[in-house]
Amino acid sequence: MSRYGAQFGPDITFLGVPSCDLAESSGYADADVVILGAPFDGGTSHRPGTRFGPQAIRSTDYLGHDGSRPSLALRTDGLKDLKVYDAGDVMMTPGDITAALGALEAAVQTVTESGAIPLILGGDHSIAFADATGVANALGHGRISMTHFDAHADTGDIEFGSLWGHGAPMRRLIESGALRGDRFLQIGLRGYWPEPATLDWMAGQAMRSYEMTEIVHRGLTDCLTEAFGIAIDDCDGVFLSVDIDVCDPAHAPGTGTPEPGGLSARQLLDSVRRICLELPVVGIDVVEVSPPYDHADITAALANRVVLEALSAIARRRRDAETGQAWNPLLPLLADRPASRPKPD
Ligand SMILES: [Mn+2]
């Protein structure tokens, strides 16, 4: 089998990292992270377009596609310190959501079984079912906790007569037993959905949802710290699912179901950094980027940086584990600077 490449557009990789063919395991045997595109928007309930998300996330950056991005804040190069490959897109059959999700689940499981972290570029959020199930198939059902950034709970039951829309993947993951409801952390919920019956179902599963109201009242830092404690309690790893609509539409306009009043881009990037620094992340997806609704590439650029922030922080976590030293986030601000500047004459 040869590399499928990109389903829509030219066969490019994330900022120029090496490519691999998922069918040739020798080509990524040393991988720390394998990127997969999931260009599927058949689960969308409102505005479509996320089938073009993977290509936009891979390429939206003002620097060269040279496979290197040194992080100012973390003093790591996520694309060089880690072995990162881009396996291209999974064939996501338009109009056949069960075929598409089945192919994606198999691909994610293959990556996880190889020992690498799968990093999936969506696609609408229906793909999270395949992403987290693929990881859980490899590492154990009920052994992986979920940290889920989103404006929406995505715990709906049946939408448009289907079990598989982008409003329902989190319910399906808990119903199937792939993930535990009581290790399911949601951050950023707001707006006018879901209805009380679904909230009752979520409470019955012991899900923990940090709504924007609580985040504003308590502060994001405290909420994350509390969530992290739940996430690592009797679990072997953490899946990070980032729906870009967790951010305010001012910071992420290019998405299918925008909900005002969300996180800032800064808050999302800091949260992703903390999760990947402090938790044993075993899988990541970044979803709901819809380039046709984007303006000035704002949303695609943010999603590109979400990926880089995650990779930079995973690299930092691994280096700190080797050296036994905890990272001080203020270090780059203190190092290599003169204690005082000469006064101008
Ligand atoms: Mn979502």
Side-chain angles (χ1 to χ4, degrees):
M1 187 182 151
S2 61
R3 179 182 157 90
Y4 179 55
Q7 186 159 318
F8 305 105
D11 183 8
I12 59 171
T13 66
F14 183 83
L15 299 182
V17 300
S19 65
C20 70
D21 181 346
L22 217 53
E24 302 284 346
S25 58
S26 61
Y28 55 96
D30 61 345
D32 296 304
V33 175
V34 174
I35 293 171
L36 296 167
F40 185 79
D41 52 22
T44 306
S45 59
H46 191 53
R47 306 193 306 207
T50 57
R51 67 176 59 188
F52 303 120
Q55 288 298 73
I57 299 168
R58 283 185 175 110
S59 62
T60 304
D61 188 329
Y62 53 83
L63 296 167
H65 289 201
D66 57 0
S68 172
R69 285 295 181 275
S71 163
L72 273 178
L74 293 166
R75 292 297 201 262
T76 56
D77 187 328
L79 303 185
K80 278 202 156 348
D81 296 351
L82 302 175
K83 284 281 185 188
V84 182
Y85 294 89
D86 189 332
D89 289 345
V90 175
M91 188 175 78
M92 301 293 283
T93 311
D96 190 342
I97 193 167
T98 53
L101 295 184
L104 180 58
E105 179 182 323
V108 171
Q109 184 174 341
T110 296
V111 171
T112 307
E113 287 173 344
S114 81
I117 297 172
L119 197 165
I120 303 98
L121 311 176
D124 72 53
H125 221 158
S126 65
I127 69 166
F129 177 80
D131 299 337
T133 301
V135 171
N137 289 346
L139 300 182
H141 284 214
R143 299 306 307 164
I144 305 303
S145 60
M146 170 65 90
T147 50
H148 167 208
F149 286 77
D150 207 323
H152 315 95
D154 291 2
T155 48
D157 193 356
I158 294 172
E159 292 179 314
F160 306 115
S162 173
L163 292 167
W164 302 109
H166 76 157
M170 306 315 172
R171 183 185 291 238
R172 300 286 98 83
L173 281 167
I174 294 169
E175 284 177 342
S176 75
L179 300 183
R180 287 168 59 166
D182 62 356
R183 295 295 181 277
F184 211 110
L185 295 313
Q186 300 189 298
I187 295 143
L189 308 192
R190 60 191 186 273
Y192 300 88
W193 188 86
E195 76 295 348
T198 296
L199 294 177
D200 289 345
W201 181 87
M202 292 162 64
Q205 307 302 314
M207 296 176 72
R208 182 67 170 91
S209 303
Y210 296 87
E211 300 176 21
M212 282 308 301
T213 304
E214 180 174 359
I215 292 169
V216 169
H217 184 69
R218 292 179 62 192
L220 179 60
T221 300
D222 279 0
C223 292
L224 287 180
T225 300
E226 183 180 278
F228 290 5
I230 299 169
I232 59 170
D233 176 22
D234 191 31
C235 273
D236 302 325
V238 176
F239 192 96
L240 168 61
S241 188
V242 177
D243 187 326
I244 208 70
D245 72 25
V246 73
C247 282
D248 193 87
H251 295 230
T255 196
T257 44
E259 184 61 53
L263 297 181
S264 68
R266 184 70 259 157
Q267 286 178 305
L268 175 60
L269 293 170
D270 286 343
S271 300
V272 169
R273 180 188 298 174
R274 265 197 75 187
I275 286 174
C276 292
L277 267 178
E278 297 180 30
L279 300 179
V281 170
V282 293
I284 301 171
D285 63 20
V286 182
V287 304
E288 295 288 351
V289 174
S290 178
Y293 286 95
D294 210 357
H295 302 273
D297 299 334
I298 295 168
T299 316
L302 174 59
N304 177 280
R305 266 33 181 172
V306 167
V307 173
L308 285 177
E309 202 64 51
L311 295 175
S312 306
I314 291 169
R316 186 76 246 171
R317 177 178 168 86
R318 292 190 179 185
R319 190 188 300 175
D320 292 349
E322 287 168 10
T323 63
Q325 292 190 322
W327 175 247
N328 174 359
L330 294 180
L331 213 53
L333 305 180
L334 304 172
D336 304 318
R337 280 171 168 71
S340 62
R341 293 171 189 277
K343 290 194 170 66
D345 296 324

